[in-house]
């Protein structure tokens, strides 16, 4: 009898072992796990939604003075958009001798944005960072935020009185909408100059977006233009900062904007979003071909880490 009971117990154990996989939930397929992990990573990121509510609201450049003088200021001229840099005793600043563009004799701290040597944003920041004949790289830092290196700098910066750049976050220089014909938003949490500068040696961090990606889910924009066209563009931008910067751009999306004065909602890509490449900046912009005014522009999205 005892032997019979033992045999029954053994048979029952084998039966339970055979049935157990049917009772437990099936393991998640590898592909589903990857999707789940990706969604969790995005949702645990930071919102980078934002835009402009009126003309001249997007930040083209971030500039900081890190020199030893008591003050460093930057000014954008009214009629020309030229930049003037000064340093010295507060209230008595004089033109810097660190750089100028174009170079002509002694350096005088003026960047003439109508000159072919310095009429793009890339050429402007390179000059400020010390990439010119006889330039000094120690006192100033500049990066492009809501823009591309190839964007025109010729009278496209908003007029700005002499402003102290000797502040932790740097001074923002804004785009002049009605001469640049565009509004843009970099989808990043790094909207001051601090994250772009290495605290150990005050040099620009070469690849500030390494380890991050950004995604845009929705955009909407309104602009007034008497002629031409309006287009939404989404770019993934590989940024390299330094005395002579560089960038590689990939256009991820292009779509016709709304008619003049009419709001256009761009939601074709909102199911999965438009993701930057790994370690690159995501730039979304509303670009017009001939004119732009009364611009309202918004982008919704996230910035997250990748493995």
């Amino acid at each position: 009898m005892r032997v019979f009971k033992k045999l029954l117990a053994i048979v029952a154990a084998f039966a339970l072992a055979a049935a157990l996989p049917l009772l437990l939930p099936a393991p998640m397929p590898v592909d589903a796990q990857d999707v789940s992990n990706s969604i969790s990573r995005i949702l645990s990121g930071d919102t980078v939604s934002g835009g402009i509510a009126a003309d001249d609201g997007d930040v083209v450049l971030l500039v900081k003075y890190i020199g030893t003088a008591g003050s460093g200021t930057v000014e954008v001229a009214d009629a020309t958009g030229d930049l003037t840099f000064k340093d010295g005793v507060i209230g008595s600043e004089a033109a810097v001798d660190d750089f100028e563009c174009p170079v002509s004799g002694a350096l005088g701290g003026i960047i003439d944005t109508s000159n072919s040597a310095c009429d793009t944003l890339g050429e402007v920041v390179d000059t400020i960072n010390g990439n010119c004949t006889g330039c000094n790289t120690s006192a100033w830092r500049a990066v492009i935020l809501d823009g591309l290196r190839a964007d025109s700098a010729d009278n496209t910066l908003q007029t700005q009185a002499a402003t102290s750049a000797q502040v932790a976050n740097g001074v923002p220089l804004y785009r002049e909408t009605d001469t640049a014909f565009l509004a843009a938003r970099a989808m990043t949490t790094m909207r001051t100059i601090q994250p772009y500068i290495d605290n150990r040696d005050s040099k620009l961090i070469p690849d500030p977006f390494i380890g991050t990606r950004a995604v845009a889910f929705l955009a909407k924009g309104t602009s007034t233009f008497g002629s031409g066209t309006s287009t939404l563009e989404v770019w993934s931008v590989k940024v390299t900062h330094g005395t002579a910067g560089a960038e590689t751009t990939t256009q991820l999306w292009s779509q016709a904007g709304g008619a003049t004065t009419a709001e256009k909602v761009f939601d074709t890509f909102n199911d999965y979003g438009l993701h930057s490449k790994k370690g690159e900046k995501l730039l979304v912009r509303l670009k017009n071909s001939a004119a732009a005014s009364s611009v309202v522009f918004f982008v919704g999205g996230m910035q997250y880490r990748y493995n």
Side-chain angles (χ1 to χ4, degrees):
M1 188 68 177
R2 289 179 181 177
V3 173
F4 181 71
K5 288 182 178 180
K6 286 183 179 180
L7 288 174
L8 286 177
I10 292 172
V11 171
F14 274 109
L16 178 61
L20 191 59
L22 301 176
L23 300 175
L24 296 176
M28 187 179 294
V30 174
D31 289 345
Q33 288 178 341
D34 290 342
V35 171
S36 177
N37 291 338
S38 296
I39 293 173
S40 297
R41 192 176 299 118
I42 294 170
L43 293 179
S44 65
D46 298 304
T47 179
V48 286
S49 303
I52 65 171
D55 290 351
D56 313 329
D58 39 345
V59 179
V60 180
L61 304 178
L62 296 167
V63 179
K64 185 174 182 178
Y65 176 71
I66 61 171
T68 57
S71 173
T73 66
V74 57
E75 175 183 354
V76 181
D78 182 8
T80 62
D82 292 349
L83 288 82
T84 300
F85 298 81
K86 296 181 180 180
D87 64 5
V89 178
I90 297 177
S92 301
E93 295 90 350
V96 305
D97 58 3
D98 296 309
F99 55 81
E100 71 176 16
C101 187
V103 175
S104 177
L107 302 179
I110 294 178
I111 298 179
D112 178 359
T113 57
S114 67
N115 189 279
S116 60
C118 29
D119 62 355
T120 67
L121 296 183
E123 291 167 336
V124 169
V125 296
D126 285 353
T127 299
I128 299 169
N129 290 323
N131 185 31
C132 65
T133 303
C135 282
N136 175 13
T137 64
S138 63
W140 297 84
R141 299 289 181 268
V143 298
I144 299 168
L145 183 57
D146 296 328
L148 301 173
R149 285 180 60 87
D151 287 345
S152 173
D154 187 3
N155 199 22
T156 61
L157 297 178
Q158 176 66 15
T159 301
Q160 189 158 314
T163 305
S164 174
Q166 197 176 31
V167 290
N169 290 335
V171 58
L173 302 183
Y174 296 90
R175 178 177 283 114
E176 187 168 316
T177 305
D178 61 359
T179 58
F181 303 160
L182 66 87
R185 178 77 177 185
M187 306 296 286
T188 176
T189 58
M190 301 186 292
R191 297 196 61 82
T192 72
I193 204 168
Q194 283 183 297
Y196 299 97
I197 298 177
D198 192 326
N199 291 329
R200 297 168 298 180
D201 56 15
S202 295
K203 292 182 179 179
L204 290 172
I205 297 172
D207 49 359
F209 298 99
I210 192 71
T212 69
R213 298 183 76 177
V215 54
F217 291 110
L218 175 76
K220 60 181 181 179
T222 307
S223 65
T224 298
F225 50 99
S227 62
T229 59
S230 181
T231 306
L232 180 88
E233 299 177 347
V234 183
W235 295 84
S236 183
V237 186
K238 173 60 179 175
V239 173
T240 303
H241 286 158
T243 303
E247 71 181 20
T248 302
T249 60
T250 304
Q251 189 173 72
L252 304 177
W253 190 266
S254 179
Q255 183 176 350
T260 181
T261 73
E263 181 181 78
K264 174 70 174 283
V265 177
F266 303 92
D267 57 2
T268 309
F269 48 83
N270 66 354
D271 285 341
Y272 304 102
L274 291 172
H275 298 249
S276 70
K277 293 183 177 182
K278 292 181 177 180
E280 298 192 4
K281 177 174 76 172
L282 189 68
L283 183 72
V284 185
R285 62 187 196 171
L286 189 68
K287 183 178 181 181
N288 292 2
S289 64
S293 62
S294 304
V295 174
V296 177
F297 182 61
F298 173 83
V299 185
M302 304 285 290
Q303 185 181 45
Y304 59 96
R305 308 291 301 183
Y306 67 85
N307 292 331

